[in-house]
């Protein structure tokens, strides 16, 4: 079975194929398949949870974009016509808003091409090694998101490594396979250091204790697991715990993001009201 899967390792992943091979060699293929199925089930649940919590902020941003577009292209031109019909000069802040909307409508094709060019440049630069390393550093070290991203990365990699150890894969090979599945460059260096420590006769806990990227207490639990010979089961349990913790932290971040988006939309709408509707009311009151 592992030989057949290895032909499509880009689909199944090297860690999956290696676990199947180890299960075949040790005669525990049934148990290995059960562990891998549980691992995939947790990964799917985590991805679905992240998608579901991010859906509402994306919808809010889309609504905000539609509201601003309607204001610029349909509503503000009508208010400009009303002011000209009244023969009154609008206040300076109202005039700035009307002029800005007029410029956007007049140069919309050029602005659209400029936005596309900027996005293309950002995407091209984002594919470079320097940009990827910079982004990986932001994801792991930015104050508001680092607790969630560190927990998610720790949970996924620990669970994967523990599952491979339970499948009978040697620790060194499991570390290498785990490293290949990690996309974050900074977190991947952790597995480079773990591999070097194991090759030199040390333990992975020696590296984890001094690593600042792990959640608090993770290194100490691994250290205890190595001493008691229960590294595989402890890593699986820790992986499950940190995945759930990271998922909850993502939910908490989204809960903070939702009112922020609503506040921004409220500021935009109130700004339009203060800049356009209130001057119209003043003109109407003074005319009466």
């Amino acid at each position: 079975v592992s030989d057949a899967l290895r032909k499509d390792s880009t689909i199944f992943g090297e860690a999956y194929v290696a676990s199947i091979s180890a299960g075949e060699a040790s005669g525990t293929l049934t148990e290995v398949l059960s562990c891998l199925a549980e691992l995939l089930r947790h990964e799917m649940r985590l991805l679905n949870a992240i998608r579901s919590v991010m859906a509402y902020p994306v919808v809010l941003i889309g609504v905000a974009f539609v509201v601003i577009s309607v204001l610029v292209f349909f509503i503000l031109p009508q208010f400009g016509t009303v002011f000209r019909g009244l023969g009154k000069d609008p206040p300076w802040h109202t005039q700035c808003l009307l002029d800005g909307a007029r410029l956007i409508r007049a140069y919309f094709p050029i602005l659209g091409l400029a936005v596309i060019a900027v996005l293309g440049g950002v995407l091209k630069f984002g594919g470079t090694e320097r940009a990827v390393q910079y982004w990986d550093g932001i994801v792991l070290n930015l104050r508001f998101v680092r607790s969630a991203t560190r927990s998610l990365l720790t949970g996924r990699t620990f669970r994967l490594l523990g599952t491979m150890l339970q499948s009978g894969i040697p620790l060194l090979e499991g570390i290498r396979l785990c490293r290949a599945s990690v996309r974050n460059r900074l977190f991947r260096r952790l597995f480079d250091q773990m591999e070097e420590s194991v090759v030199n006769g040390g333990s992975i806990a020696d590296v984890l204790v001094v690593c600042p990227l792990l959640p608090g207490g993770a290194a100490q639990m691994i250290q205890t697991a190595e001493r008691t010979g229960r590294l595989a089961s402890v890593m699986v349990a820790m992986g499950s715990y940190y995945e759930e913790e990271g998922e909850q932290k993502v939910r908490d971040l989204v809960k903070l993001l939702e009112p922020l988006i609503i506040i921004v939309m409220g500021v935009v709408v109130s700004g339009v009201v203060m800049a356009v509707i209130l001057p119209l009311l003043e003109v109407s009151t003074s005319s009466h």
Side-chain angles (χ1 to χ4, degrees), residues 202-213:
S203 65
I204 62 174
D206 297 336
V207 176
L208 299 180
V209 167
V210 297
C211 179
L213 301 178

Side-chain angles (χ1 to χ4, degrees), residues 226-240:
E226 281 189 320
R227 292 174 180 173
T228 58
R230 300 180 57 192
L231 182 60
S233 59
V234 170
M235 293 199 82
V236 171
M238 288 177 59
S240 177

Side-chain angles (χ1 to χ4, degrees), residues 106-178:
Y107 297 99
F108 180 73
I110 299 177
L111 292 175
L113 292 175
V115 170
I116 294 174
V118 170
L119 291 177
V122 170
L123 292 176
K124 185 175 181 180
F125 175 73
T128 61
E129 184 68 22
R130 181 179 179 182
V132 171
Q133 290 183 355
Y134 183 72
W135 173 252
D136 290 343
I138 291 178
V139 168
L140 283 177
N141 295 311
L142 188 63
R143 180 176 297 275
F144 298 104
V145 300
R146 64 186 182 187
S147 60
T149 54
R150 290 178 181 182
S151 294
L152 289 174
L153 278 173
T154 301
R156 184 185 181 278
T157 53
F158 277 22
R159 174 185 284 275
L160 179 59
L161 182 56
T163 301
M164 286 189 290
L165 293 177
Q166 287 181 338
S167 304
I169 296 177
L171 177 60
L172 187 59
E173 184 179 356
I175 292 174
R176 291 169 179 169
L177 291 171
C178 237

Side-chain angles (χ1 to χ4, degrees), residues 224-254:
T224 303
E226 281 189 320
R227 292 174 180 173
T228 58
R230 300 180 57 192
L231 182 60
S233 59
V234 170
M235 293 199 82
V236 171
M238 288 177 59
S240 177
Y241 170 77
Y242 283 118
E243 279 184 349
E244 294 177 0
E245 183 183 58
E247 181 182 330
Q248 183 59 45
K249 289 180 178 179
V250 170
R251 287 197 180 98
D252 294 339
L253 287 175
V254 173

Side-chain angles (χ1 to χ4, degrees), residues 14-30:
E14 294 292 341
Y16 191 94
V17 177
S19 299
I20 296 293
S21 179
E24 289 177 327
S26 60
T28 58
L29 183 58
T30 304

Side-chain angles (χ1 to χ4, degrees), residues 2 5 21 41 56 65 72 89 105 132 149 176 187 193 247 256 271:
S2 60
L5 296 179
S21 179
R41 188 178 297 111
Y56 185 61
F65 178 77
V72 170
D89 293 331
R105 293 193 302 272
V132 171
T149 54
R176 291 169 179 169
F187 210 79
Q193 297 169 0
E247 181 182 330
L256 293 176

